[in-house]
């Protein structure tokens, strides 16, 4: 059941090859399937060929424009001129590994550190959030002496062998290994009262139980790993601070708290630059990725120097492409754009507007059972006769595609629309989405 | 002993912080150490600040030029204009994940497939060679039903948790886990006669013994994983074909052959585009990385479609930055430059000239005990009174730095100079290196 459930979530808006093995009619699609095979992961039954992007928009091969409400990688906007210029400039100067010194790299690391808790003063840059989490798991295991990890049951933290084990949503068959214990997603409906009053203690109790499960299997805990907006679990943001007692429970048991900021980090939640800020937490390790370079492949781990030093006593860690000056230039441009364009405040303002439109819709349409989120990360639950309605989510996603709005789904049942536009989104663009959603729901 | 040995190899030309914890005198170095901590990996006791690059040269902050004989990432030359232009152009158009179709991506995949054995027709692009090997290990385990891996005892295949286990040279303490068996490096001196006559069968026998060791520990073999130029093992290229019986031995035992082409791939060895070509082999899986995008973070795994399909039945694999169109544009430009500038032939020609210069030197200097390699990947063993001389290697590396030539070391004892310049190297530049090496050896 775990397997089929996870499969369903991953595939909610995915292209599915014909069951009879028939070749794809679209030659562009047939090429991709021939080139990548079963590892091809594509959106929609008729995947779209994209050729350009600008702000919150992508332009397809046929010249039509799509509003991107899915993508948190080009977070300051597709082909943002400042990021593009930074990459164009640096790649023409020097692109080299970090064994040589470069002020471009250290200027960036210092700008990034200025956004982080002061004690997380060592940063290891990597190429992907998966690499950052893979490293963070080992750093936490070394520091804690533990081998066990606690994650939410629909978590996704990345794609390496080690990180896949703490990503239950990646499993199509089977389940994570013995050293991983799962807790339910922090949905107020599952813990305490609907207004979230019991959530903090309920979620902490679930973490304590998971730690006990690990102990029963012979594992001391290494860390609680949370995406602090609980993206793949369906987006759970409220009440602010609910995560703190769970973190305290893990620390009491000797484990660390790894804040996976690949999803909520870099100003998306509006109220704070990082998702853990919403919960008043100071993580032991912070990992970051997707929006960090606005699409330039880069990611990283920030940790206390003592944790990094202990890990490095056992094993060398060098990342060839990590901390190259082109990545640093891209990342630094992203930080500057967020500050100069006030994108954190924009995420708060436009996010609130979007939330208001969605809640208005929910008041008029009983199929919308919940609207949750923070800033420009919003989850919209769809149900039918009181039950989660993944088929409705799929219909809405495909209906929105016909309206040229791109969106995805998440959550345990795949019935949560994942509303995650670039941070540069304007209120007019928020309305384009909301209007389209209204039209689609009216027709569905 | 394994640990201290590996430590020595990694650190041969590395910066070492002061034992008394004194702050670095160079402010640029002090910044880096403050920003990255113990995970900072730097070259030389006084790391160089680099600001620009061109062809085989890097330019330091003081304006002086260094000849790069170490770096196999900017393989077609630092800031090659065709690769720079491809990245500059595509990043201004669109940089998006592979869930949408893009002719830029499929044009590249087809160009890359044209360089690979026809049966390896599925390519999964990743961000790093580590990610590619991490994936390949799981694909091989799924296909073989085995859990064991055989690698050389100084192998380095990457930095994820899983790949570190098959990278004995990464261990500063301890050793790889039970499911990894090590074989000696394929040095003719260790197997059969000095002319390499017994090497093929001797190395195959070592692999069979490793498989037996795995069986004794309860592991069926999943794969033999080889960097087919054996870079971190000290560069072992001859006689061509020596690797074939070892691969046959692994296949007889039910395991696969993963050719890690991160080091020898993309025309470096001169005689073939891939390192496995030198051995007349058809791998089950090929992984690639470093030179693939001339520094743009990208890597990949090519495999038979049946292997990819089996893996994807169990677990989803999606790589956010992998197969983005900017990486594809960079990778495609690299393939074009290699073809248009005849870099494979250049690697053969200039490599032969370099080898000839080095062998002349060896005939006159008994401290040079061996010169091995293929194309522009050459290992030069240094010894003193018949014993490996890592201290001499360190002295030579630092002497060459003073001559503004950058080079590294490898091998079990760290006494092998690793001669690995960009493929665009001209004969005049080969002579600059060889002349500098002669001067340094004369003074050392």
């Amino acid at each position: 059941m775990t397997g089929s459930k996870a499969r369903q979530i991953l595939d909610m808006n995915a292209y599915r090859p014909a069951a009879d093995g028939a070749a794809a009619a679209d030659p562009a699609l047939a090429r991709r399937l021939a080139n990548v095979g079963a590892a091809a992961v594509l959106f929609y039954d008729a995947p779209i060929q994209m050729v350009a992007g600008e702000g919150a928009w992508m332009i397809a091969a046929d010249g039509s424009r799509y509003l991107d409400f899915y993508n948190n990688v080009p977070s300051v906007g597709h082909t943002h001129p400042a990021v593009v210029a930074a990459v164009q400039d640096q790649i023409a100067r020097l692109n080299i590994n970090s064994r040589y010194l470069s002020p471009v790299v250290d200027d960036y690391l210092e700008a990034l550190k200025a956004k982080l808790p002061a004690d997380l003063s060592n940063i290891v840059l990597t190429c992907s959030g998966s690499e950052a989490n893979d490293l963070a798991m080992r750093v936490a295991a070394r520091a804690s002496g533990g081998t066990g990890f606690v994650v939410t049951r629909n978590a996704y933290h990345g794609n390496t062998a080690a990180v896949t084990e703490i990503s239950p949503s990646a499993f199509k068959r089977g389940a994570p290994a013995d050293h991983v214990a799962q807790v339910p997603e922090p949905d107020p409906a599952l813990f305490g009262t609907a207004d979230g009053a019991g959530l903090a203690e309920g979620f902490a109790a679930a973490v304590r139980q998971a730690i006990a499960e690990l102990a029963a299997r012979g594992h001391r805990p290494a860390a609680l790993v949370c995406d602090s907006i609980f993206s793949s679990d369906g987006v759970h943001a409220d009440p602010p601070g609910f995560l703190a007692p769970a973190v305290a429970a893990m620390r009491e048991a000797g484990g660390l708290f790894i804040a996976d900021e690949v999803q909520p980090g870099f100003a998306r939640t509006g109220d704070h630059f990082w998702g853990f800020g919403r919960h008043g937490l100071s993580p032991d390790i912070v990992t970051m990725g997707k929006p960090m370079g606005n699409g330039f492949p880069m990611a990283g781990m920030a940790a206390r120097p003592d944790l990094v030093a202990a890990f490095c006593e056992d094993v060398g860690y060098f990342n060839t492409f990590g901390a190259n000056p082109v990545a640093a230039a891209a990342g630094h441009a992203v930080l500057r754009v967020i500050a100069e364009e006030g994108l954190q405040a924009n995420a708060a303002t436009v996010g609130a507007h979007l939330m208001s439109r969605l809640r208005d819709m929910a008041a008029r349409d009983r199929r919308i059972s919940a609207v949750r989120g923070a800033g420009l990360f919003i989850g919209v639950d769809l149900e039918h006769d009181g039950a989660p309605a993944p088929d409705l989510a799929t219909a809405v996603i495909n209906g929105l595609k016909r309206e040229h709005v791109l969106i995805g789904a998440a959550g345990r049942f795949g019935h949560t629309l994942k509303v995650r536009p670039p941070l540069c989104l304007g209120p007019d663009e928020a309305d384009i989405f909301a209007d389209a959603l209204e039209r689609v729901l009216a027709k569905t």
Side-chain angles (χ1 to χ4, degrees), chain A:
Chain A
M1 183 56 207
T2 303
S4 61
K5 177 198 65 183
R7 178 66 187 256
Q8 184 187 41
I9 294 166
L10 283 171
D11 286 351
M12 197 51 54
N13 54 344
Y15 165 77
R16 291 175 189 76
D20 62 359
D26 176 359
L29 176 57
R31 284 178 81 188
R32 177 63 57 87
L33 298 177
N35 290 332
V36 183
V41 178
L42 291 152
F43 277 157
Y44 305 115
D45 285 334
I48 309 168
Q49 190 174 135
M50 294 295 185
V51 297
E54 190 186 3
W57 299 83
M58 280 196 282
I59 294 98
D62 65 5
S64 63
R65 292 165 66 84
Y66 287 83
L67 183 59
D68 186 358
F69 255 64
Y70 180 81
N71 212 316
N72 63 338
V73 174
S75 193
V76 302
H78 287 281
T79 62
H80 190 290
V83 184
V84 166
V87 170
Q88 287 178 332
D89 177 74
Q90 184 59 44
I91 203 163
R93 291 176 191 272
L94 183 65
N95 180 13
I96 192 69
N97 67 64
S98 60
R99 288 183 172 116
Y100 305 97
L101 296 169
S102 162
V104 178
V105 172
D106 288 290
D107 287 350
Y108 172 56
L109 291 175
E110 287 162 14
L112 184 58
K113 281 167 64 171
K115 306 298 290 182
L116 283 160
D119 63 331
L120 305 185
S121 62
N122 281 178
I123 296 179
V124 181
L125 293 179
T126 64
C127 300
S128 68
S130 298
E131 286 188 343
N133 280 327
D134 192 286
L135 176 60
M137 287 174 72
R138 284 179 285 163
V139 170
R142 176 59 161 79
S144 65
T147 49
F149 290 88
V150 177
V151 295
T152 49
R153 61 182 166 182
N154 309 293
Y156 182 77
H157 295 292
N159 61 29
T160 68
V163 180
T164 297
E165 288 293 341
I166 61 162
S167 300
S169 75
F171 284 74
K172 296 176 182 175
R173 295 179 178 178
D178 248 14
H179 67 284
V180 179
Q182 301 174 46
V183 293
E185 60 279 16
D187 186 336
L190 297 174
F191 298 100
T193 62
D195 67 354
L199 179 59
E201 281 314 315
F203 193 62
V207 168
R208 277 190 291 270
Q209 188 187 321
I211 292 167
E213 282 170 26
L214 288 173
R217 298 181 209 147
H219 292 284
R220 285 168 52 199
L224 171 67
V225 188
C226 285
D227 155 13
S228 55
I229 193 73
F230 297 92
S231 169
S232 57
D233 282 297
V235 188
H236 299 283
D238 286 321
F242 78 74
L243 192 51
V247 169
M250 176 52 77
R251 284 178 171 154
E252 269 164 39
L256 276 61
F257 171 48
I258 299 174
D260 179 346
E261 294 289 327
V262 168
Q263 295 287 345
F266 294 91
R268 175 160 291 280
T269 62
D271 52 357
H272 289 84
F273 193 83
W274 306 105
F276 61 78
R278 186 173 183 83
H279 294 282
L281 288 165
S282 188
D284 299 291
I285 302 175
V286 171
T287 56
M288 51 198 101
K290 297 190 196 299
M292 194 173 186
N294 210 45
F296 193 93
M298 64 184 299
M301 178 195 77
R304 295 199 311 270
D306 60 309
L307 302 189
V308 174
F311 174 76
C312 290
E313 284 175 11
D314 295 343
V315 68
Y317 186 88
F318 179 73
N319 195 306
T320 297
F321 299 134
N324 76 71
V326 187
H332 209 154
V334 166
L335 292 179
R336 281 196 205 98
V337 169
I338 290 172
E340 288 168 9
E341 298 184 6
L343 293 184
Q344 188 174 322
N346 189 67
T349 311
V350 179
H353 172 66
L354 200 51
M355 186 80 84
S356 159
R357 288 280 321 252
L358 289 164
R359 288 195 166 142
D360 282 353
M361 258 181 259
R364 286 177 279 113
D365 189 334
R366 294 176 55 193
R367 294 173 298 178
I368 301 177
S369 57
V371 178
R372 293 179 301 266
L376 283 171
F377 211 137
I378 302 175
V380 180
D381 284 352
L382 297 179
E383 62 176 40
H384 187 69
D385 292 338
D391 291 350
L392 179 56
T394 302
V396 166
I397 288 166
N398 286 313
L400 283 169
K401 181 203 174 193
R402 286 188 291 272
E403 297 270 350
H404 283 216
V405 175
L406 306 170
I407 196 173
R412 185 174 171 212
F413 304 105
H415 73 308
T416 307
L417 299 179
K418 195 159 60 174
V419 178
R420 196 179 52 183
L423 305 186
C424 60
L425 195 81
D428 51 335
E429 292 164 331
D431 285 333
I432 291 173
F433 162 76
D435 294 346
L437 180 59
E438 282 192 329
R439 283 194 300 275
V440 167
L441 281 169
K443 282 189 285 191
T444 306

